[in-house]
Amino acid sequence: MEISDSDKLNSKVLPILVHPHPNLRMVALPVEEFNSDLRQLALNLLHTMYEEGGIGLAATQVNVQLRILVIDLNGSWKAPQVFVNPVLKYTDGSQTLEEGCLSVPDYYDEVERPSHVKVTAYDVYGNEFEKEATGLEASCIQHEIDHLNGKLFVDYLSRLKQIRVRQKLRKARS
Ligand code: K1U
Ligand code: ZN
């Protein structure tokens, strides 16, 4: 996706839902119209991700129930990637990496996932593409697809850890 300086200026930071908000558990719907609203949503997601210091963000996290996610492992507006209606086609291997989540602030833990993924998706203009990823990029794409399916990285942790995370977030809110 070509992004101009005026696109960046005209994009905005959206509020991020925090666990245990029930809408984080919703399954997002496929995008059906590839129009200017979709492009604007992608820009807003990117701007929000950069502002919050993330390497990925899914529309579910900003309370938009559409299957769109963004990633950039290189820093602010360096290598933005947008995936519309992503489908995990192939996975291989295994890796355990530390993950964080903008919807689970200030909590990091190790998650085991496939180390190699192949994903198909559409860009904001409706062109289909295929992406292969390994390492942190592979974990990040899987983490974001999980969001679109109403799943959080803390779901992979023990029950005890999940209770502690909820307690920590409840304390932080009060
Ligand atoms: O989905 C999100 O909330 C974004 C999340 C994505 C992610 C991070 C690490 C592994 C898998 C998925 C974040 O970016 S949280 C911030 C963070 O953990 C991080 C930021 C910069 C470099 C590395 C990690
Ligand atoms: Zn997340």
Side-chain angles (χ1 to χ4, degrees):
M1 174 176 168
E2 290 286 307
I3 300 172
S4 67
D5 285 344
S6 86
D7 286 332
K8 294 177 195 172
L9 284 171
N10 290 323
S11 60
K12 60 179 184 176
V13 177
L14 305 170
I16 294 180
L17 299 181
V18 174
H19 177 55
H21 195 291
N23 291 7
L24 286 170
R25 298 306 186 174
M26 292 176 76
V27 177
L29 298 170
V31 169
E32 285 181 356
E33 287 191 42
F34 292 82
N35 55 22
S36 58
D37 287 350
L38 179 70
R39 190 171 185 280
Q40 189 61 52
L41 173 61
L43 290 166
N44 292 344
L45 285 170
L46 287 165
H47 194 156
T48 306
M49 174 183 74
Y50 295 131
E51 195 66 25
E52 302 300 336
I55 55 171
L57 190 67
T60 308
Q61 293 176 273
V62 297
N63 213 6
V64 174
Q65 311 308 330
L66 287 175
R67 302 190 76 80
I68 172 168
L69 67 87
V70 298
I71 66 167
D72 191 339
L73 275 73
N74 291 40
S76 199
W77 302 105
K78 293 283 191 330
Q81 298 181 65
V82 180
F83 297 75
V84 179
N85 297 340
V87 177
L88 209 47
K89 286 289 184 189
Y90 164 90
T91 67
D92 193 24
S94 165
Q95 63 184 5
T96 301
L97 296 184
E98 183 155 279
E99 297 192 13
C101 181
L102 299 174
S103 295
V104 186
D106 302 320
Y107 186 81
Y108 298 84
D109 214 326
E110 292 187 330
V111 178
E112 184 184 351
R113 299 186 188 269
S115 54
H116 183 172
V117 298
K118 199 182 279 183
V119 179
T120 60
Y122 295 84
D123 66 17
V124 290
Y125 308 107
N127 305 306
E128 193 173 21
F129 65 92
E130 190 173 87
K131 163 90 188 172
E132 278 195 57
T134 57
L136 181 59
E137 190 174 38
S139 283
C140 188
I141 291 170
Q142 293 171 83
H143 176 120
E144 304 309 334
I145 291 177
D146 274 353
H147 275 302
L148 300 180
N149 294 325
K151 188 161 184 163
L152 296 173
F153 86 104
V154 292
D155 299 348
Y156 294 100
L157 307 179
S158 69
R159 291 298 302 166
L160 184 61
K161 280 188 175 179
Q162 291 184 35
I163 290 165
R164 288 203 180 126
V165 171
R166 276 171 176 261
Q167 284 171 343
K168 189 173 174 204
L169 293 177
R170 199 177 306 127
K171 234 182 208 172
R173 262 207 320 272
S174 60

